[in-house]
Amino acid sequence: MRRKIEKSDAEWRAQLTPEQYHVTREKGTERPFSGDHRVTDEHGIYHCVCCNAPLFENEHKFDAGCGWPSFDRPLVSGCVEEHPDTTQGMQRTEVTCARCNAHLGHVFPDGPAETTGLRYCINSVAIQFHAGE
Ligand SMILES: [Zn+2]
């Protein structure tokens, strides 16, 4: 397991835009349909906006109709971590970057039944698309 990246709040604030900081370091949520939720057939990998770790593959993205980018699995097992989240009166599972603890979104058990059955519902400001990878 790779060493965790740890930075101070001031370092993250200097590196990230205010919206990226709010979502990834303060567990915020972007407005639905505000980001890169559309499905394309382009090859590429989504990386963590904080530490550049590769996290999701465009081929695993699907249209969940929820307004956030949705994937049926992470790029490799262990590149994201999952934590129980009972905030806002809901039972959810939070998804974070395994390398830098960035908050990415949540995983729900209502994904496509023909593949994993999981929906990784991710804030698009938390990930950056690298085409052609
Ligand atoms: Zn990261």
Side-chain angles (χ1 to χ4, degrees):
M1 176 81 202
R2 234 184 259 108
R3 235 182 84 109
K4 291 263 190 194
I5 290 180
E6 288 180 27
K7 293 188 182 186
S8 69
D9 265 2
E11 287 174 293
W12 287 124
R13 276 186 197 279
Q15 177 190 331
L16 302 168
T17 69
E19 196 185 16
Q20 289 168 342
Y21 179 86
H22 175 61
V23 168
T24 61
R25 312 319 309 185
E26 299 181 323
K27 305 188 189 302
T29 303
E30 72 191 11
R31 284 181 301 110
F33 301 101
S34 68
D36 174 23
H37 59 89
R38 287 179 194 81
V39 172
T40 67
D41 55 12
E42 206 174 350
H43 289 278
I45 305 279
Y46 289 87
H47 290 242
C48 176
V49 80
C50 292
C51 74
N52 204 34
L55 299 177
F56 296 99
E57 194 166 357
N58 202 29
E59 273 139 88
H60 297 149
K61 194 175 182 184
F62 67 96
D63 184 4
C66 64
W68 289 280
S70 300
F71 303 88
D72 69 2
R73 73 197 77 175
L75 180 65
V76 291
S77 89
C79 72
V80 298
E81 290 177 349
E82 299 177 12
H83 316 271
D85 174 8
T86 56
T87 59
Q88 298 182 20
M90 289 181 270
Q91 293 273 355
R92 295 182 295 175
T93 303
E94 182 193 6
V95 178
T96 59
C97 171
R99 198 190 285 175
C100 76
N101 295 338
H103 171 77
L104 303 171
H106 291 88
V107 57
F108 300 96
D110 59 4
E114 65 276 15
T115 58
T116 61
L118 296 174
R119 173 170 62 98
Y120 287 80
C121 180
I122 303 300
N123 290 282
S124 56
V125 302
I127 52 177
Q128 218 153 34
F129 186 59
H130 292 213
E133 287 191 356

